[in-house]
Amino acid sequence: MDKLTALIGAVFVIGGGFAVWQFVGAEDTAVGHSMTPPDTSEIAEGGPIVQVQLPDELSQQAALGKNIFEAKCSECHGENAAGQNGVAPPLVHKIYEPSHHSDMAFVLAAQNGVRAHHWNFGNMPKIEGLTQGDVKMVAAYVRELQRANGIN
């Protein structure tokens, strides 16, 4: 067997293993995740999912992000990113901590939409009219809200 054949075989084996891992992992994620969302059965439809403590003040970037959030995101994710039961999840939640969802995850979600994987609210559509810079400012706002609520 020459090196090219071995390399092609290795790529197929690794690719197949990855495909199986994705398939099995997707089922595990749909059923539950190590960062399980809260029970929302006692919350009124459209009600906030979490209580959000506001920071004393926002940085300039986060203040701009708040304005963008209110214009493009709050309709679904609620006031101060507290979520809305039956509509969209709170972004002030441990699931969205920086070590689990980076700022780039916010950018990609806004640009491409995202398949439902933590919550049962359905898929998020892509958001039209936002630049990467806009979403990074929104992420700065969300991160400051998270820190004010003990999520680092």
mmCIF file with all atom_site columns, all heavy atoms in Angstrom, residues 54-70:
data_model
loop_
_atom_site.group_PDB
_atom_site.id
_atom_site.type_symbol
_atom_site.label_atom_id
_atom_site.label_alt_id
_atom_site.label_comp_id
_atom_site.label_asym_id
_atom_site.label_entity_id
_atom_site.label_seq_id
_atom_site.pdbx_PDB_ins_code
_atom_site.Cartn_x
_atom_site.Cartn_y
_atom_site.Cartn_z
_atom_site.occupancy
_atom_site.B_iso_or_equiv
_atom_site.pdbx_formal_charge
_atom_site.auth_seq_id
_atom_site.auth_comp_id
_atom_site.auth_asym_id
_atom_site.auth_atom_id
_atom_site.pdbx_PDB_model_num
ATOM 1   N N   . LEU A 1 54 ? -29.385 44.161 36.450 1.00 0.00 ? 54 LEU A N   1
ATOM 2   C CA  . LEU A 1 54 ? -28.674 45.029 35.522 1.00 0.00 ? 54 LEU A CA  1
ATOM 3   C C   . LEU A 1 54 ? -27.397 45.549 36.152 1.00 0.00 ? 54 LEU A C   1
ATOM 4   O O   . LEU A 1 54 ? -27.372 45.842 37.352 1.00 0.00 ? 54 LEU A O   1
ATOM 5   C CB  . LEU A 1 54 ? -29.562 46.203 35.113 1.00 0.00 ? 54 LEU A CB  1
ATOM 6   C CG  . LEU A 1 54 ? -30.878 45.824 34.426 1.00 0.00 ? 54 LEU A CG  1
ATOM 7   C CD1 . LEU A 1 54 ? -31.698 47.066 34.146 1.00 0.00 ? 54 LEU A CD1 1
ATOM 8   C CD2 . LEU A 1 54 ? -30.613 45.055 33.150 1.00 0.00 ? 54 LEU A CD2 1
ATOM 9   N N   . PRO A 1 55 ? -26.326 45.689 35.349 1.00 0.00 ? 55 PRO A N   1
ATOM 10  C CA  . PRO A 1 55 ? -25.096 46.276 35.886 1.00 0.00 ? 55 PRO A CA  1
ATOM 11  C C   . PRO A 1 55 ? -25.325 47.752 36.221 1.00 0.00 ? 55 PRO A C   1
ATOM 12  O O   . PRO A 1 55 ? -26.240 48.387 35.671 1.00 0.00 ? 55 PRO A O   1
ATOM 13  C CB  . PRO A 1 55 ? -24.081 46.111 34.750 1.00 0.00 ? 55 PRO A CB  1
ATOM 14  C CG  . PRO A 1 55 ? -24.847 45.753 33.539 1.00 0.00 ? 55 PRO A CG  1
ATOM 15  C CD  . PRO A 1 55 ? -26.212 45.300 33.964 1.00 0.00 ? 55 PRO A CD  1
ATOM 16  N N   . ASP A 1 56 ? -24.507 48.295 37.119 1.00 0.00 ? 56 ASP A N   1
ATOM 17  C CA  . ASP A 1 56 ? -24.637 49.703 37.485 1.00 0.00 ? 56 ASP A CA  1
ATOM 18  C C   . ASP A 1 56 ? -24.467 50.609 36.273 1.00 0.00 ? 56 ASP A C   1
ATOM 19  O O   . ASP A 1 56 ? -25.140 51.616 36.136 1.00 0.00 ? 56 ASP A O   1
ATOM 20  C CB  . ASP A 1 56 ? -23.627 50.072 38.569 1.00 0.00 ? 56 ASP A CB  1
ATOM 21  C CG  . ASP A 1 56 ? -23.959 49.386 39.891 1.00 0.00 ? 56 ASP A CG  1
ATOM 22  O OD1 . ASP A 1 56 ? -25.148 49.092 40.133 1.00 0.00 ? 56 ASP A OD1 1
ATOM 23  O OD2 . ASP A 1 56 ? -23.024 49.143 40.677 1.00 0.00 ? 56 ASP A OD2 1
ATOM 24  N N   . GLU A 1 57 ? -23.520 50.256 35.410 1.00 0.00 ? 57 GLU A N   1
ATOM 25  C CA  . GLU A 1 57 ? -23.338 50.996 34.162 1.00 0.00 ? 57 GLU A CA  1
ATOM 26  C C   . GLU A 1 57 ? -22.762 50.059 33.114 1.00 0.00 ? 57 GLU A C   1
ATOM 27  O O   . GLU A 1 57 ? -22.214 49.004 33.435 1.00 0.00 ? 57 GLU A O   1
ATOM 28  C CB  . GLU A 1 57 ? -22.442 52.222 34.363 1.00 0.00 ? 57 GLU A CB  1
ATOM 29  C CG  . GLU A 1 57 ? -21.040 51.933 34.846 1.00 0.00 ? 57 GLU A CG  1
ATOM 30  C CD  . GLU A 1 57 ? -20.250 53.221 35.079 1.00 0.00 ? 57 GLU A CD  1
ATOM 31  O OE1 . GLU A 1 57 ? -20.366 54.154 34.265 1.00 0.00 ? 57 GLU A OE1 1
ATOM 32  O OE2 . GLU A 1 57 ? -19.539 53.274 36.080 1.00 0.00 ? 57 GLU A OE2 1
ATOM 33  N N   . LEU A 1 58 ? -22.912 50.451 31.861 1.00 0.00 ? 58 LEU A N   1
ATOM 34  C CA  . LEU A 1 58 ? -22.415 49.658 30.738 1.00 0.00 ? 58 LEU A CA  1
ATOM 35  C C   . LEU A 1 58 ? -21.218 50.368 30.109 1.00 0.00 ? 58 LEU A C   1
ATOM 36  O O   . LEU A 1 58 ? -21.178 51.601 30.077 1.00 0.00 ? 58 LEU A O   1
ATOM 37  C CB  . LEU A 1 58 ? -23.500 49.487 29.676 1.00 0.00 ? 58 LEU A CB  1
ATOM 38  C CG  . LEU A 1 58 ? -24.740 48.696 30.060 1.00 0.00 ? 58 LEU A CG  1
ATOM 39  C CD1 . LEU A 1 58 ? -25.799 48.820 28.970 1.00 0.00 ? 58 LEU A CD1 1
ATOM 40  C CD2 . LEU A 1 58 ? -24.397 47.236 30.291 1.00 0.00 ? 58 LEU A CD2 1
ATOM 41  N N   . SER A 1 59 ? -20.302 49.589 29.568 1.00 0.00 ? 59 SER A N   1
ATOM 42  C CA  . SER A 1 59 ? -19.214 50.167 28.782 1.00 0.00 ? 59 SER A CA  1
ATOM 43  C C   . SER A 1 59 ? -19.831 50.806 27.538 1.00 0.00 ? 59 SER A C   1
ATOM 44  O O   . SER A 1 59 ? -20.990 50.540 27.187 1.00 0.00 ? 59 SER A O   1
ATOM 45  C CB  . SER A 1 59 ? -18.218 49.086 28.379 1.00 0.00 ? 59 SER A CB  1
ATOM 46  O OG  . SER A 1 59 ? -18.817 48.195 27.440 1.00 0.00 ? 59 SER A OG  1
ATOM 47  N N   . GLN A 1 60 ? -19.046 51.623 26.843 1.00 0.00 ? 60 GLN A N   1
ATOM 48  C CA  . GLN A 1 60 ? -19.542 52.273 25.633 1.00 0.00 ? 60 GLN A CA  1
ATOM 49  C C   . GLN A 1 60 ? -19.938 51.236 24.587 1.00 0.00 ? 60 GLN A C   1
ATOM 50  O O   . GLN A 1 60 ? -20.998 51.348 23.953 1.00 0.00 ? 60 GLN A O   1
ATOM 51  C CB  . GLN A 1 60 ? -18.479 53.211 25.077 1.00 0.00 ? 60 GLN A CB  1
ATOM 52  C CG  . GLN A 1 60 ? -18.958 54.013 23.883 1.00 0.00 ? 60 GLN A CG  1
ATOM 53  C CD  . GLN A 1 60 ? -17.912 55.005 23.396 1.00 0.00 ? 60 GLN A CD  1
ATOM 54  O OE1 . GLN A 1 60 ? -16.785 55.045 23.882 1.00 0.00 ? 60 GLN A OE1 1
ATOM 55  N NE2 . GLN A 1 60 ? -18.288 55.816 22.419 1.00 0.00 ? 60 GLN A NE2 1
ATOM 56  N N   . GLN A 1 61 ? -19.123 50.197 24.427 1.00 0.00 ? 61 GLN A N   1
ATOM 57  C CA  . GLN A 1 61 ? -19.425 49.150 23.439 1.00 0.00 ? 61 GLN A CA  1
ATOM 58  C C   . GLN A 1 61 ? -20.706 48.407 23.819 1.00 0.00 ? 61 GLN A C   1
ATOM 59  O O   . GLN A 1 61 ? -21.560 48.150 22.975 1.00 0.00 ? 61 GLN A O   1
ATOM 60  C CB  . GLN A 1 61 ? -18.257 48.175 23.319 1.00 0.00 ? 61 GLN A CB  1
ATOM 61  C CG  . GLN A 1 61 ? -18.450 47.155 22.226 1.00 0.00 ? 61 GLN A CG  1
ATOM 62  C CD  . GLN A 1 61 ? -17.234 46.247 22.050 1.00 0.00 ? 61 GLN A CD  1
ATOM 63  O OE1 . GLN A 1 61 ? -16.341 46.190 22.888 1.00 0.00 ? 61 GLN A OE1 1
ATOM 64  N NE2 . GLN A 1 61 ? -17.227 45.514 20.956 1.00 0.00 ? 61 GLN A NE2 1
ATOM 65  N N   . ALA A 1 62 ? -20.862 48.076 25.104 1.00 0.00 ? 62 ALA A N   1
ATOM 66  C CA  . ALA A 1 62 ? -22.058 47.361 25.549 1.00 0.00 ? 62 ALA A CA  1
ATOM 67  C C   . ALA A 1 62 ? -23.302 48.244 25.429 1.00 0.00 ? 62 ALA A C   1
ATOM 68  O O   . ALA A 1 62 ? -24.387 47.748 25.115 1.00 0.00 ? 62 ALA A O   1
ATOM 69  C CB  . ALA A 1 62 ? -21.884 46.860 26.973 1.00 0.00 ? 62 ALA A CB  1
ATOM 70  N N   . ALA A 1 63 ? -23.166 49.557 25.658 1.00 0.00 ? 63 ALA A N   1
ATOM 71  C CA  . ALA A 1 63 ? -24.306 50.460 25.512 1.00 0.00 ? 63 ALA A CA  1
ATOM 72  C C   . ALA A 1 63 ? -24.776 50.485 24.057 1.00 0.00 ? 63 ALA A C   1
ATOM 73  O O   . ALA A 1 63 ? -25.986 50.460 23.784 1.00 0.00 ? 63 ALA A O   1
ATOM 74  C CB  . ALA A 1 63 ? -23.931 51.864 25.987 1.00 0.00 ? 63 ALA A CB  1
ATOM 75  N N   . LEU A 1 64 ? -23.830 50.494 23.121 1.00 0.00 ? 64 LEU A N   1
ATOM 76  C CA  . LEU A 1 64 ? -24.204 50.406 21.703 1.00 0.00 ? 64 LEU A CA  1
ATOM 77  C C   . LEU A 1 64 ? -24.852 49.049 21.426 1.00 0.00 ? 64 LEU A C   1
ATOM 78  O O   . LEU A 1 64 ? -25.851 48.962 20.703 1.00 0.00 ? 64 LEU A O   1
ATOM 79  C CB  . LEU A 1 64 ? -22.978 50.602 20.817 1.00 0.00 ? 64 LEU A CB  1
ATOM 80  C CG  . LEU A 1 64 ? -22.387 52.021 20.800 1.00 0.00 ? 64 LEU A CG  1
ATOM 81  C CD1 . LEU A 1 64 ? -21.032 52.034 20.093 1.00 0.00 ? 64 LEU A CD1 1
ATOM 82  C CD2 . LEU A 1 64 ? -23.348 52.992 20.149 1.00 0.00 ? 64 LEU A CD2 1
ATOM 83  N N   . GLY A 1 65 ? -24.280 48.006 22.009 1.00 0.00 ? 65 GLY A N   1
ATOM 84  C CA  . GLY A 1 65 ? -24.829 46.663 21.841 1.00 0.00 ? 65 GLY A CA  1
ATOM 85  C C   . GLY A 1 65 ? -26.245 46.551 22.380 1.00 0.00 ? 65 GLY A C   1
ATOM 86  O O   . GLY A 1 65 ? -27.086 45.862 21.802 1.00 0.00 ? 65 GLY A O   1
ATOM 87  N N   . LYS A 1 66 ? -26.511 47.240 23.487 1.00 0.00 ? 66 LYS A N   1
ATOM 88  C CA  . LYS A 1 66 ? -27.870 47.234 24.054 1.00 0.00 ? 66 LYS A CA  1
ATOM 89  C C   . LYS A 1 66 ? -28.858 47.823 23.057 1.00 0.00 ? 66 LYS A C   1
ATOM 90  O O   . LYS A 1 66 ? -29.948 47.277 22.855 1.00 0.00 ? 66 LYS A O   1
ATOM 91  C CB  . LYS A 1 66 ? -27.911 48.010 25.365 1.00 0.00 ? 66 LYS A CB  1
ATOM 92  C CG  . LYS A 1 66 ? -29.302 48.069 25.970 1.00 0.00 ? 66 LYS A CG  1
ATOM 93  C CD  . LYS A 1 66 ? -29.347 48.870 27.257 1.00 0.00 ? 66 LYS A CD  1
ATOM 94  C CE  . LYS A 1 66 ? -30.780 48.832 27.785 1.00 0.00 ? 66 LYS A CE  1
ATOM 95  N NZ  . LYS A 1 66 ? -30.966 49.651 28.944 1.00 0.00 ? 66 LYS A NZ  1
ATOM 96  N N   . ASN A 1 67 ? -28.488 48.937 22.423 1.00 0.00 ? 67 ASN A N   1
ATOM 97  C CA  . ASN A 1 67 ? -29.375 49.560 21.428 1.00 0.00 ? 67 ASN A CA  1
ATOM 98  C C   . ASN A 1 67 ? -29.643 48.611 20.259 1.00 0.00 ? 67 ASN A C   1
ATOM 99  O O   . ASN A 1 67 ? -30.780 48.497 19.797 1.00 0.00 ? 67 ASN A O   1
ATOM 100 C CB  . ASN A 1 67 ? -28.770 50.870 20.916 1.00 0.00 ? 67 ASN A CB  1
ATOM 101 C CG  . ASN A 1 67 ? -28.772 51.947 21.975 1.00 0.00 ? 67 ASN A CG  1
ATOM 102 O OD1 . ASN A 1 67 ? -29.579 51.930 22.898 1.00 0.00 ? 67 ASN A OD1 1
ATOM 103 N ND2 . ASN A 1 67 ? -27.857 52.883 21.851 1.00 0.00 ? 67 ASN A ND2 1
ATOM 104 N N   . ILE A 1 68 ? -28.604 47.928 19.799 1.00 0.00 ? 68 ILE A N   1
ATOM 105 C CA  . ILE A 1 68 ? -28.758 46.973 18.698 1.00 0.00 ? 68 ILE A CA  1
ATOM 106 C C   . ILE A 1 68 ? -29.618 45.799 19.162 1.00 0.00 ? 68 ILE A C   1
ATOM 107 O O   . ILE A 1 68 ? -30.524 45.351 18.451 1.00 0.00 ? 68 ILE A O   1
ATOM 108 C CB  . ILE A 1 68 ? -27.383 46.498 18.186 1.00 0.00 ? 68 ILE A CB  1
ATOM 109 C CG1 . ILE A 1 68 ? -26.607 47.679 17.604 1.00 0.00 ? 68 ILE A CG1 1
ATOM 110 C CG2 . ILE A 1 68 ? -27.540 45.381 17.150 1.00 0.00 ? 68 ILE A CG2 1
ATOM 111 C CD1 . ILE A 1 68 ? -25.129 47.410 17.396 1.00 0.00 ? 68 ILE A CD1 1
ATOM 112 N N   . PHE A 1 69 ? -29.341 45.299 20.372 1.00 0.00 ? 69 PHE A N   1
ATOM 113 C CA  . PHE A 1 69 ? -30.124 44.191 20.928 1.00 0.00 ? 69 PHE A CA  1
ATOM 114 C C   . PHE A 1 69 ? -31.603 44.561 20.974 1.00 0.00 ? 69 PHE A C   1
ATOM 115 O O   . PHE A 1 69 ? -32.463 43.774 20.571 1.00 0.00 ? 69 PHE A O   1
ATOM 116 C CB  . PHE A 1 69 ? -29.611 43.822 22.327 1.00 0.00 ? 69 PHE A CB  1
ATOM 117 C CG  . PHE A 1 69 ? -30.352 42.671 22.939 1.00 0.00 ? 69 PHE A CG  1
ATOM 118 C CD1 . PHE A 1 69 ? -29.927 41.376 22.733 1.00 0.00 ? 69 PHE A CD1 1
ATOM 119 C CD2 . PHE A 1 69 ? -31.497 42.886 23.700 1.00 0.00 ? 69 PHE A CD2 1
ATOM 120 C CE1 . PHE A 1 69 ? -30.628 40.306 23.277 1.00 0.00 ? 69 PHE A CE1 1
ATOM 121 C CE2 . PHE A 1 69 ? -32.198 41.822 24.244 1.00 0.00 ? 69 PHE A CE2 1
ATOM 122 C CZ  . PHE A 1 69 ? -31.768 40.531 24.028 1.00 0.00 ? 69 PHE A CZ  1
ATOM 123 N N   . GLU A 1 70 ? -31.902 45.741 21.476 1.00 0.00 ? 70 GLU A N   1
ATOM 124 C CA  . GLU A 1 70 ? -33.303 46.162 21.588 1.00 0.00 ? 70 GLU A CA  1
ATOM 125 C C   . GLU A 1 70 ? -33.977 46.270 20.219 1.00 0.00 ? 70 GLU A C   1
ATOM 126 O O   . GLU A 1 70 ? -35.158 45.971 20.086 1.00 0.00 ? 70 GLU A O   1
ATOM 127 C CB  . GLU A 1 70 ? -33.390 47.478 22.360 1.00 0.00 ? 70 GLU A CB  1
ATOM 128 C CG  . GLU A 1 70 ? -33.095 47.295 23.839 1.00 0.00 ? 70 GLU A CG  1
ATOM 129 C CD  . GLU A 1 70 ? -32.989 48.590 24.625 1.00 0.00 ? 70 GLU A CD  1
ATOM 130 O OE1 . GLU A 1 70 ? -32.935 49.691 24.010 1.00 0.00 ? 70 GLU A OE1 1
ATOM 131 O OE2 . GLU A 1 70 ? -32.947 48.512 25.865 1.00 0.00 ? 70 GLU A OE2 1
#
